[in-house]
Amino acid sequence: LQNPLFILLLLAACALPMHWIELRCNTQPARDRYVEFISDRRRVRLETERISYLESNDSEVWIHTSTGESLRTKTKISQWEQQLDDRFLRIHRSYIVNTAHVGEYHPSRVNVGGQEIEISRKYKDTARLRFESPAGE
């Protein structure tokens, strides 16, 4: 019990797990670099940052990219909302936008890659908090 090596090992055994837990709790969740989905019967792997916005149209969702490409998928927009990270914001029943691609914000609409998208009443407060906050500017 009086051996300095034993005391050092005992202290390390107590301190290291606490340090590891603290590091794990303070880290931000990793952002997915890619999303994978089926579009026109083929598997597509798309960089998440390339997605400008998603548009729901009846039973399908169109994924519009920053390069002007549009991809169709049968995955519901509510599933996309759960799958995508905090870079994306639902602003309408039919639209999710990548906030990094929003060029202009107005209380009733946003401009994403030259496309004007309306913000519905249900999502106005959420959009206002995201775009008018100091972190969003």
Side-chain angles (χ1 to χ4, degrees):
L1 217 58
Q2 295 178 355
N3 186 343
L5 186 58
F6 177 74
I7 294 172
L8 182 63
L9 285 173
L10 189 62
L11 287 173
C14 293
L16 285 177
M18 292 300 291
H19 180 69
W20 182 80
I21 290 170
E22 189 176 315
L23 285 175
R24 296 290 290 166
C25 290
N26 289 335
T27 58
Q28 294 287 332
R31 293 181 165 188
D32 291 334
R33 183 176 167 118
Y34 295 96
V35 290
E36 291 186 6
F37 56 95
I38 304 294
S39 177
D40 296 326
R41 296 186 183 150
R42 64 183 170 94
R43 180 166 291 283
V44 176
R45 187 171 190 223
L46 181 65
E47 283 183 283
T48 309
E49 65 188 34
R50 285 186 45 208
I51 299 173
S52 293
Y53 66 97
L54 293 89
E55 175 184 12
S56 176
N57 189 2
D58 294 329
S59 64
E60 57 193 20
V61 170
W62 286 91
I63 300 170
H64 301 277
T65 67
S66 57
T67 58
E69 185 179 15
S70 296
L71 302 163
R72 181 178 60 187
T73 181
K74 295 288 185 183
T75 307
K76 295 178 180 180
I77 198 160
S78 58
Q79 292 171 311
W80 279 107
E81 185 178 19
Q82 292 173 359
Q83 181 181 349
L84 296 170
D85 57 40
D86 63 346
R87 292 175 281 188
F88 294 85
L89 179 67
R90 182 102 181 238
I91 62 166
H92 192 278
R93 184 178 84 171
S94 301
Y95 291 98
I96 297 174
V97 297
N98 184 340
T99 56
H101 290 268
V102 172
E104 258 183 77
Y105 163 75
H106 298 282
S108 61
R109 60 184 159 69
V110 292
N111 184 315
V112 181
Q115 178 74 30
E116 292 284 327
I117 301 174
E118 179 185 347
I119 301 172
S120 68
R121 286 181 292 180
K122 180 179 179 179
Y123 298 100
K124 276 190 196 283
D125 290 338
T126 308
R128 182 178 46 78
L129 288 172
R130 176 69 74 89
F131 292 117
E132 291 181 2
S133 70
E137 291 179 339

